[in-house]
C-alpha cells in the first residue's frame, strides 16, 4: 500500500490493457494516466524540476514558466503547488478548458497566446512569449521541455524499464511524439537492450515533427509545428502519421468498451492496429503507450457538437458505428451479450 506525502511521489507504472478483445490484435497499452497529474508528463516534469534544483537554477524566489498545450502544465502545477513554487503556463487556444481550469485550481497562472506562427501552429508564438518574459526578469526559470535532456531521461529511467520488466520479449513499441521526450527515452533504452525492438513513432497529419506539410491540428498532445530539438531519428525505425478522424474513431471505440483515453492514445492505438494489420501479429509482442486518460477531452473528442463543427456529420456517424447498448435494437440483444471485436 503506497503512502505518500507529495503528489509526485506516486505513479502507477505497471498497468497495461490488453486490447485484443476490442481490436482483435494482441496489443498491450501502457496506461500512464494514473497519477495526480493525470498524465505521463509528471515523470518529465519531476525529472526536470529536480535537476534544476540540483543545479541551483531553481530557488524559492524563482517563477517557473513553461510552454505547454496542457499536460506538462498540469504536471508542473502539481509539483509547483507541492513544493511552493510559482508557475506560469503559456498555452494556446487548443488547450482544453478543463486543463486550464485544473492548472488554475492548483494555483498556477495561465497565459493563452492567440496568434498563429509561420507554420500555422501556436508553438512559435508561445516560445516567443516565454523568451520575452525570461528576458524581462531573471526570476523566470524556463525548464524548456523541448530541449531539456531531463525530458527524455525521465523515460529512459522509468517508462522504458517498466515496459522491459513486463515484456522481456518485446518486439515493437508504438510511441506518440510531441516533444519526443518519451520517444527518445524509450528509443535510447531499447537500443542497448538484450534484443532488437522496433521503435515506431506516431505523429499526427499536419505536424511537421518529421517533415511534411503543416496542416490544421485540433487535438493537443501529439505533433509539433517545428522539428522537436530532442528528436534523433537514428533511434526511430518507422514513423506513422495519423489523421485526426482516425484518432477520434479509435478513442470512441475504446470508450464504448469502458476505456476512456485521451486523444494521443487514440492516435497511437490507431497507428498500432494498422501496423499490426499489415504485419500480422503471430508471435509478436507489441506495446503502445497511452499518455493520459479521456476526462480532459470531454468537451472536445467526446462532444458531438465539437466533432460536428470541425469534422462534419460523416465522422460523427462513423465514430458512432460501435453503438451503445441504448442504440442497439433491444429485441435482438440477449442480456449480457458482448459485441464482437
Ligand atoms: C497527451 C499526450 N500526448 C502525447 C505526448 C507526447 O509526449 P512527448 O512530449 O514525450 O513526446 C504527451 C506527453 O506527455 C501527452 O501528454
Amino acid at each position: 500500500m503506497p503512502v505518500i506525502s507529495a503528489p509526485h511521489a506516486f505513479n502507477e507504472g505497471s498497468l497495461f490493457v490488453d486490447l485484443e478483445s476490442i481490436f482483435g490484435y494482441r496489443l498491450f497499452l501502457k496506461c500512464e494516466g494514473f497519477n495526480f497529474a493525470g498524465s505521463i508528463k509528471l515523470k518529465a516534469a519531476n525529472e526536470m524540476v529536480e535537476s534544476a534544483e540540483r543545479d541551483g537554477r531553481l530557488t524559492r524566489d524563482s517563477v517557473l514558466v513553461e510552454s505547454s498545450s496542457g499536460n506538462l502544465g498540469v504536471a508542473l502545477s502539481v509539483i509547483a503547488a507541492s513544493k511552493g513554487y510559482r508557475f506560469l503556463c503559456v498555452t494556446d487556444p487548443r488547450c482544453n478548458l478543463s486543463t486550464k481550469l485544473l492548472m488554475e485550481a492548483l494555483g498556477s497562472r495561465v497565459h493563452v497566446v492567440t496568434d498563429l506562427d509561420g507554420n500555422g501552429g501556436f508553438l512559435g508564438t508561445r516560445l516567443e512569449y516565454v523568451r520575452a518574459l525570461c528576458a524581462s526578469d531573471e526570476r523566470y526559470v524556463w525548464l524548456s521541455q523541448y530541449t531539456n535532456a531531463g525530458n527524455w531521461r525521465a523515460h529512459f529511467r522509468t517508462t522504458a524499464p517498466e515496459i522491459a520488466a513486463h515484456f522481456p520479449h518485446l518486439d515493437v513499441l508504438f510511441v506518440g511524439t510531441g516533444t519526443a521526450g518519451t520517444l527518445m527515452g524509450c528509443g535510447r533504452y531499447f537500443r542497448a537492450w538484450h534484443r532488437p525492438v522496433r521503435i515506431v513513432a506516431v505523429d499526427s497529419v499536419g505536424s511537421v515533427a518529421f517533415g511534411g506539410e503543416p496542416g490544421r491540428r485540433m487535438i493537443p498532445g501529439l505533433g509539433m509545428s517545428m522539428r522537436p530539438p530532442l528528436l534523433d531519428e537514428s533511434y526511430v525505425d518507422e514513423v506513422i502519421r495519423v489523421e485526426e478522424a482516425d484518432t477520434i474513431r479509435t478513442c470512441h471505440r475504446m470508450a464504448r468498451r469502458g476505456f476512456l483515453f485521451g486523444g494521443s492514445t487514440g492516435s497511437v492505438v490507431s497507428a498500432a492496429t494498422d501496423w499490426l494489420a499489415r504485419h500480422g501479429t503471430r508471435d509478436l509482442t507489441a506495446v503502445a503507450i497511452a499518455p493520459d486518460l479521456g476526462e480532459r477531452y470531454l468537451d472536445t473528442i467526446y462532444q458531438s457538437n465539437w466533432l460536428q463543427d470541425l469534422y462534419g456529420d460523416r465522422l460523427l456517424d462513423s465514430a458512432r458505428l460501435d453503438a451503445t447498448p441504448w442504440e442497439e435494437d433491444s429485441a435482438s440483444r440477449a442480456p449480457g451479450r458482448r459485441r464482437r471485436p
Side-chain angles (χ1 to χ4, degrees), residues 231-243:
L231 178 63
D232 176 345
E233 284 186 63
S234 68
Y235 292 100
V236 180
D237 295 299
E238 208 175 316
V239 181
I240 301 181
R241 288 187 184 80
V242 178
E243 297 276 359

Side-chain angles (χ1 to χ4, degrees), residues 141-326:
V141 173
W142 178 22
L143 297 174
S144 182
Q145 60 164 330
Y146 306 104
T147 53
N148 193 320
N151 183 356
W152 68 258
R153 218 183 301 119
H155 303 288
F156 184 88
R157 288 202 312 101
T158 61
T159 313
E162 287 160 6
I163 296 169
H166 288 83
F167 297 95
H169 301 294
L170 180 69
D171 293 298
V172 53
L173 179 65
F174 299 91
V175 190
T177 313
T179 62
T182 317
L183 180 67
M184 287 299 103
C186 292
R188 285 194 169 93
Y189 182 91
F190 285 111
R191 174 62 56 87
W193 208 36
H194 68 99
R195 61 184 272 129
V197 174
R198 191 158 186 83
I199 301 290
V200 182
V202 180
D203 194 12
S204 45
V205 169
S207 156
V208 301
F210 295 88
E213 284 300 304
R216 183 185 81 163
R217 291 178 297 117
M218 300 308 297
I219 302 172
L222 285 199
M224 286 261 262
S225 54
M226 66 177 195
R227 187 184 162 83
L230 291 179
L231 178 63
D232 176 345
E233 284 186 63
S234 68
Y235 292 100
V236 180
D237 295 299
E238 208 175 316
V239 181
I240 301 181
R241 288 187 184 80
V242 178
E243 297 276 359
E244 289 194 334
D246 292 325
T247 298
I248 289 163
R249 280 189 205 99
T250 308
C251 283
H252 281 247
R253 204 160 159 192
M254 290 187 283
R256 292 293 158 92
R257 302 298 287 272
F259 290 110
L260 195 76
F261 283 109
S264 30
T265 303
S267 306
V268 173
V269 170
S270 171
T273 51
D274 273 3
W275 191 95
L276 292 168
R278 277 184 277 119
H279 291 79
T281 52
R282 209 170 346 157
D283 299 330
L284 264 188
T285 302
V287 170
I289 299 176
D292 64 2
L293 298 172
E295 284 187 17
R296 281 173 203 167
Y297 305 82
L298 291 177
D299 54 356
T300 55
I301 291 171
Y302 296 105
Q303 214 235 102
S304 300
N305 290 346
W306 189 85
L307 292 179
Q308 200 160 21
D309 287 352
L310 288 172
Y311 305 97
D313 288 335
R314 270 186 64 200
L315 172 65
L316 202 58
D317 292 342
S318 61
R320 281 194 185 131
L321 271 181
D322 204 15
T324 68
W326 295 103

Side-chain angles (χ1 to χ4, degrees), residues 99-158:
T99 304
K100 183 172 175 281
L101 294 175
L102 200 50
M103 289 191 270
E104 287 170 344
L106 288 160
S108 301
R109 295 214 170 135
V110 180
H111 177 82
V112 182
V113 303
T114 50
D115 295 338
L116 286 170
D117 62 26
N119 283 325
F122 293 100
L123 184 60
T125 321
R126 282 181 356 202
L127 296 183
E128 222 173 89
Y129 187 85
V130 172
R131 282 194 194 102
L133 271 182
C134 293
S136 73
D137 188 332
E138 61 186 19
R139 285 175 306 170
Y140 283 108
V141 173
W142 178 22
L143 297 174
S144 182
Q145 60 164 330
Y146 306 104
T147 53
N148 193 320
N151 183 356
W152 68 258
R153 218 183 301 119
H155 303 288
F156 184 88
R157 288 202 312 101
T158 61

